[in-house]
Each structure stands twice: as C-alpha cells, then as structure tokens.
C-alpha cells in the first residue's frame, strides 16, 4: 500500500504503490514533453523521454512491506548500509528485471535511468532531466505532485493543488527547472499541503501507534534482513502480506505473532500526549531524548515509546526554488528576495514534536508522569543551553 498502515485509521487510504508509479510515469512524461515542445533548443529526444517514463514507473520498486516504516526499521538494525534506502533497492531490482526478462535497455540507458531514480550531479549536460522524478535541490518534482494529488483524493480531502499549470509552465533555464513567479502561491501550497498531510494523516497519533507495533513485530522476526533486501529473488516476495503469512506453528515467530494479533484485535499502543519543542531546541532533539531516556528508570522506559516527529524543512523551501518572469525575460532565472515573498506565506515550514506512547494501556498514569517529567527536563535543558 502507498500509505503503509494509514488505512487502519483512514480506511479509504488503501491505494497502492503500483497506482502511484503509473501516475508518476504519466506526469513525468507530460512534463518532459511539455518542456520539449516549448524549448526545442534543449535537444530532448525520444530516448530522453523513454528514460524519464521508465524511471517514473520504476522509482518505487524498492519499497518493502509497510513502505517507509520498513525503511526506518532497516535503518535501526543495519545503519547506513546502501540497501537501507529504497531508492538503491529500486535500482537493484530494475537491474534484476532487465536481465531476467531480457528487456532491450542498453547499459548506458540503464545507468541513466538509475540516476533519474536516485539523482546525483554528474555534470550532465541535461541535468534538468534528473530533477523531474526526484528533485533533491528543492523538492518540487512529479513524485510529490502525484502522491499529494492521489493521497488527498483517496482520503477524501479537499486540498487544492494546481499541478497541471505547474507542469505546463515549467521551463528549463541554466539546466534547472524553473517556474513563473506568478505561481509562487501554488508552489507554496505544495509545501503547505505536504505539511498538512504529514501532520494530520501520515503521522496521525494512532497511525504512528500502529507503525510502532509493526516496527516491534518486524524486530521480533529473527530473519536475515540484510540477505533479504540484497537478494532480489527473495525480496520480491515480501509485501504487506508478511503480517498474514507468519507461520503460527513456528516458535521463533511467537512474539511477532502476538503483536500482530494485538493489532488485529485493535489493542493498539496507547497514545499519551505530545509536546511541540521550541524551535531553539530543534538541533538538540535527539540529544534531549537520549538523555531523558537515561533519566527515567529502565522498567518504565521499556513500556514507554518516545518518538521525535520532524515535519517539514530546515530552511524555507521557497528559497530553493528558481523562478522566471515571462514578461521581462523568460530566459533569466532567479531566487526570490525576501521582500518579494508575501508576508501571508509562512517563513518556517518545520515542526518538531515529541510524542509519548505506552505499550500497556493500564500504565496511563506512568505515561502522564513521563510527560510531566519531560516538560521540566526540556525546559531546564533550554535554560542551561542559553
């Protein structure tokens, strides 16, 4: 599923990565063809178009069970291994599929497609192609266009995003994809919509409670995860159905099955409360949590789950987007000065929240105790810091 376990809270969020992948391929094709028609001097050819379409279709091949929850789990147990990132797994699986089915894609083209999926600056003379699917410089890309539109539609939300206009007016200047300044509010709306979805849907307190249980379930499955994610033939078999296919008769899966059955009985970890950190403490959030965990007793710590939820961007993402003015000079790109950005738009696009959960709902008073202790702790931390 596209949104991991979000459908446990929002039942209509049952759309899949397959649908999203088709959508990304379609929007990528639409954007590159629009740019080609308006700017023939860029020498975009049919091979370029095909590469972008295939990259859009295959960019999420590497997602495992429960989507980004699985990536977080792998990061915890494997650290910075290359196959922890789903983009790297997508490239691995694409290579595997091309070889297995003798798909007529030469080595150079395959390399380019992988670079489109997992962009890196190689000084390519068509660098803008590598920012259509995934744009690491400012986050405006067709992957985001599709999931924002698709997720809001399936969730029944009325968020408005004018993607067609953005795609039709995208222009390449100095090898970068730029947008008309008059669409500033539309671009800002993309970042605000993403923030709202993360805050209200993707990181809904109960959605995260289920994710925590999935995380614990995976952690209690004694499997060779490194071998699984680095072996295409094995990894391809792992889907969200891993939760239903556990062998009930195998004693090594007893703890994982117990957590799974709790989820099915809706015995979800209890959400206690959350605290939004002051912005001055954002750089120290991990240190604060680690020191606080050492402060509370080990028996309490085992029944308390503490999450640091970071939504948004460290810097105003608008400052990373290049604009142009079609009337003055459509071939000149620029970043907007602060005095040209309306004060009606937010200047900060991030929030850090500390959330507390209890694994046993009879321990609600313990959870409340930890919240009160943490409130005093972070305030003292803030005082000592400044």
């Amino acid at each position: 599923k596209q949104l991991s376990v979000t459908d446990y809270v929002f039942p209509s969020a049952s759309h899949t990565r397959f649908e999203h992948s088709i959508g990304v391929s379609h929007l990528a094709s639409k954007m590159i063809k629009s740019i080609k028609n308006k700017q023939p001097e860029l020498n975009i050819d049919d091979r370029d178009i095909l590469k972008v379409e295939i990259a859009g279709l295959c960019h999420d091949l590497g997602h495992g069970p429960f989507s980004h929850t699985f990536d977080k789990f792998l990061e915890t147990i494997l650290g910075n291994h290359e196959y922890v990132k789903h983009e790297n797994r997508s490239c691995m699986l694409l290579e595997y599929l091309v070889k297995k089915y003798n798909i007529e894609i030469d080595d150079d083209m395959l390399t380019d497609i992988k670079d489109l999926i997992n962009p890196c600056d190689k000084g390519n003379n068509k660098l803008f192609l590598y920012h259509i699917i995934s744009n690491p410089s400012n986050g405006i890309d067709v992957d985001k266009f599709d999931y924002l539109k698709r997720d809001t539609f399936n969730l029944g939300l009325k968020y408005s995003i004018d993607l067609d206009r953005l795609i039709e007016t995208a222009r390449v200047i100095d090898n970068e994809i730029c947008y008309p300044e008059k669409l500033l509010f539309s671009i800002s709306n993309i970042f605000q919509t993403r923030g709202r979805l993360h805050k209200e849907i993707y990181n809904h307190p109960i959605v995260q409670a289920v994710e925590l249980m999935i995380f614990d379930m995976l952690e209690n499955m004694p499997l060779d995860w490194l071998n699984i994610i680095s072996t295409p033939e094995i990894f391809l078999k792992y889907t969200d159905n891993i939760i239903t296919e556990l062998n009930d008769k195998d004693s090594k899966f007893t703890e994982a099955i117990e957590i799974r059955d709790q989820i099915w009985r809706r015995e979800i970890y209890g959400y206690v409360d959350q605290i939004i950190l002051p912005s001055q403490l954002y750089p120290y959030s991990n240190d604060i949590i680690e020191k606080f965990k050492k402060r509370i007793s080990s028996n309490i710590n085992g029944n308390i789950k503490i999450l640091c939820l970071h939504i948004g961007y460290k810097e105003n993402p608008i400052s990373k987007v290049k604009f142009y003015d079609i009337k003055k000079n459509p071939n000149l790109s620029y970043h907007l000065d602060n005095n040209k950005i309306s004060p009606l738009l937010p200047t900060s696009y991030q929030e850090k929240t500390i959330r507390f959960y209890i694994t046993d709902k009879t321990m609600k008073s313990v959870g409340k105790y930890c919240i009160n202790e943490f409130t005093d702790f972070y305030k003292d931390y803030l005082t000592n810091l400044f």
Side-chain angles (χ1 to χ4, degrees), residues 8 206 210 213-214 217 243-244 248 254-269 359-361:
Y8 278 80
I206 308 307
V210 179
M213 297 184 76
I214 293 292
M217 187 194 79
I243 197 171
T244 59
D248 291 27
T254 300
E255 292 183 34
I257 289 168
E258 187 177 327
I259 296 171
R260 178 201 67 185
D261 291 348
Q262 277 184 266
I263 296 172
W264 284 353
R265 293 193 302 266
R266 303 295 293 188
E267 296 171 3
I268 311 300
Y269 290 167
T359 58
D360 182 346
K361 288 187 178 180

Side-chain angles (χ1 to χ4, degrees), residues 309-325:
L309 172 62
H310 180 211
I311 296 174
Y313 305 86
K314 292 181 180 179
E315 300 177 64
N316 186 343
I318 295 292
S319 66
K320 303 291 186 181
V321 180
K322 284 284 191 76
F323 293 90
Y324 68 88
D325 190 321

Side-chain angles (χ1 to χ4, degrees), residues 1 16 35 57 101 159 228 266 271 280 282 290 385:
K1 291 175 183 174
T16 66
I35 292 172
L57 188 65
Y101 296 106
Y159 302 169
I228 288 169
R266 303 295 293 188
Y271 169 61
Q280 306 97 302
Y282 287 177
E290 290 306 311
L385 197 62

Side-chain angles (χ1 to χ4, degrees), residues 29-39 167-168:
S29 177
K30 196 172 179 179
M31 176 176 276
I32 191 171
K33 287 176 180 176
S34 172
I35 292 172
K36 177 186 177 181
N37 291 336
K38 288 182 299 186
Q39 297 182 265
I167 289 173
E168 289 165 5

Side-chain angles (χ1 to χ4, degrees), residues 286-304:
N286 290 334
D287 184 56
I288 291 170
I289 291 175
E290 290 306 311
K291 287 182 177 177
F292 179 71
K293 283 181 177 178
K294 290 178 182 177
R295 175 170 167 169
I296 59 178
S297 61
S298 57
N299 61 320
I300 291 176
N301 199 7
N303 292 294
I304 294 289

Side-chain angles (χ1 to χ4, degrees), residues 1-3 6-7 10-17 19 154-155:
K1 291 175 183 174
Q2 172 75 2
L3 297 183
T6 303
D7 63 321
F10 303 95
S12 62
S14 57
H15 51 300
T16 66
R17 288 271 160 192
E19 299 159 53
N154 282 278
L155 288 159

Side-chain angles (χ1 to χ4, degrees), residues 37-91:
N37 291 336
K38 288 182 299 186
Q39 297 182 265
E41 70 276 10
L42 295 173
N43 298 316
I44 296 171
D45 55 32
D46 290 344
R47 185 178 170 93
D48 292 328
I49 294 172
L50 184 59
K51 285 188 291 190
V52 168
E53 290 173 340
I54 294 173
L57 188 65
C58 300
H59 78 288
D60 271 353
L61 281 176
H63 269 296
F66 312 110
S67 202
H68 291 285
T69 306
F70 186 65
D71 291 349
K72 295 174 194 172
F73 164 70
L74 291 177
E75 188 177 338
T76 301
I77 63 169
L78 299 176
N80 293 321
H81 190 276
E82 64 172 320
Y83 288 135
V84 165
K85 288 184 64 180
H86 76 268
E87 293 90 348
N88 291 340
R89 299 195 300 270
S90 293
C91 294

